[in-house]
Amino acid sequence: MAAAEEVRFSLKVITLKESCKVLYAQVDIDFADVLLSFLTLPLGTIVRLLIKHYGSNAPILGSLNSLYAGLQDLDSSHFWTEAGKFMLLNPRNSSGIQCSRLKLQIDDIPPIQCFECCNGTCVSMYNKVKCLCPNSTGTMIRRDLEIEPKMETGFVSAPTASFLLTDDLQILANSPTSLFRILKLNGIEHTNVLEERTLTVGLKEIMELLKGSLVSKTPLTDIILCLSTEAVTSNERKRLSASAIYETDALCRTLNGQNVRPDSKKINIKAFVQKSTNRILLAETRQDLVDFLFSFLAIPLGRVQFLLGGNTCAGSISNLYRSISNLEIGEHMKSREAIVRLLQPQLPLYCMSSYQIFSLDQESSPELYRLCNSNRVKLSVSTPIGICRKLKMIDPKGQDCFVKGPTTFMVTDDLVVSTPSSTSIISILNKIKIPLSDVEERELDIGMEEALSILKASLTSTGALTDGLKPFLTRQPKQKK
Ligand SMILES: [Zn+2]
């Protein structure tokens, strides 16, 4: 397979001659697969990949960058295992195998790695994991993995198929119906205002598209014409930002009510609120909220869309998500399973925590077998011939949650988690420069509604606690002055 830097895609792009605006691009299945694979990426992976690619110029995705940085800085002693912290910083993709043969892989984490304990009885997908054997020396040995049978890879079907991708990332079947809809919704009367160009794009533009999908309403125009979003006047953009072409509020209806985890508990926090503005300056909490917030990083982007009813307000990723439901199985999409992998991707294995509030499912554990007469491990759906034994899979986080307790933590408005110290609190108060008489302490319960609201705000706001909890600050009874 070619190195990511060498991969090229050819796009036929239709632009409006006068306004430098991309109307749509015609893309092949390889490009469509890479684009759709964005939905399988956990939020933590997206933050990590954008920082890796853009360095100090990485885009700020709401409060996710600061949540990620806070996790990096939080001492490992607050986690049950070091591997647990590592898993959150480097979440695996639960569709990693399905993405492993795409023309371009932007995620650099291998789908499954295999580390076997020195006794040859336990296996883990992460290094530095304590094995279950009583006489363990703690050394894990890396093994080559055979995957059997061949699993379905990619998401879209038929090598001859192509798709139309609108500027705001709606993916449509390449058909006269789609074309007429795009023209009509953009108010185009005569096709002589259009211009066709063929462009070659690679990793750089795909990363721009990943970034744009989360921060821009016109990512194709931004990327392909190398324009800043300001280059097209805002009026022009308003006229051109066609309303949804897909017809799907059925999707939202089916999504409603599916997100409540019946046994989920409420998490109690103490918020320090600026009375005059209702801004949350700081929250004092236990390990339960911290564990729950860190778990955002393991949730795949498509699952976040599912939780929020395909309506996140972040960039144009919701358009991509919602437009998938108009593509047909067989004609455009490989299988029902491929659609589910995009619309309801699972949490990576062992990323489920007992403090999880959302109704989520995690990928099932692969069946791994040690082969006789070789140092190889085989992943198989049925017991293969010539095996020594079935290997026991180890949960790297050690317990049913990531963060150790009981401990008191503090969380800032932009979701930076730390352990409280009087100096850090004083430095926060110095920074915000408000009189203490304007600060009051409020107790809040974080249940499903509040949690969804914080998740939504975390994608777009650098004050995720305030923006997420604002609607509930007045609803929940005031306590303690
Ligand atoms: Zn062992």
Side-chain angles (χ1 to χ4, degrees), residues 165-183:
L165 182 66
T166 63
D167 194 17
D168 61 354
L169 295 195
Q170 300 177 58
I171 189 161
L172 307 160
N174 189 356
S175 69
T177 314
S178 305
L179 181 62
F180 281 121
R181 279 196 193 148
I182 295 174
L183 295 175

Side-chain angles (χ1 to χ4, degrees), residues 91-163:
R92 289 178 47 257
N93 183 334
S94 60
S95 292
I97 293 179
Q98 287 72 17
C99 294
S100 65
R101 271 184 269 148
L102 300 188
K103 189 168 171 183
L104 174 69
Q105 286 156 60
I106 48 172
D107 191 359
D108 50 7
I109 294 180
I112 299 184
Q113 282 180 296
C114 203
F115 297 92
E116 189 185 35
C117 82
C118 54
N119 293 331
T121 48
C122 321
V123 68
S124 167
M125 294 201 270
Y126 295 85
N127 199 355
K128 291 184 194 163
V129 166
K130 249 202 201 126
C131 96
L132 312 168
C133 304
N135 58 345
S136 167
T137 60
T139 319
M140 302 292 282
I141 310 150
R142 193 188 180 123
R143 297 288 184 215
D144 286 336
L145 183 74
E146 259 177 58
I147 297 175
E148 173 79 16
K150 292 258 177 292
M151 296 191 183
E152 180 182 278
T153 57
F155 305 97
V156 298
S157 133
T160 52
S162 60
F163 297 87

Side-chain angles (χ1 to χ4, degrees), residues 271-282 429 432 434-442 466 470 473-474 478-481:
F272 295 88
V273 181
Q274 183 180 12
K275 285 187 276 184
S276 56
T277 59
N278 251 355
R279 205 171 116 216
I280 298 179
L281 309 171
L282 198 66
L429 291 172
I432 49 186
I434 55 168
L436 286 182
S437 56
D438 193 20
V439 180
E440 74 175 1
E441 190 186 311
R442 306 265 285 271
T466 296
K470 209 168 228 169
L473 274 178
T474 44
K478 277 193 187 183
Q479 291 181 14
K480 292 183 191 169
K481 288 265 155 138

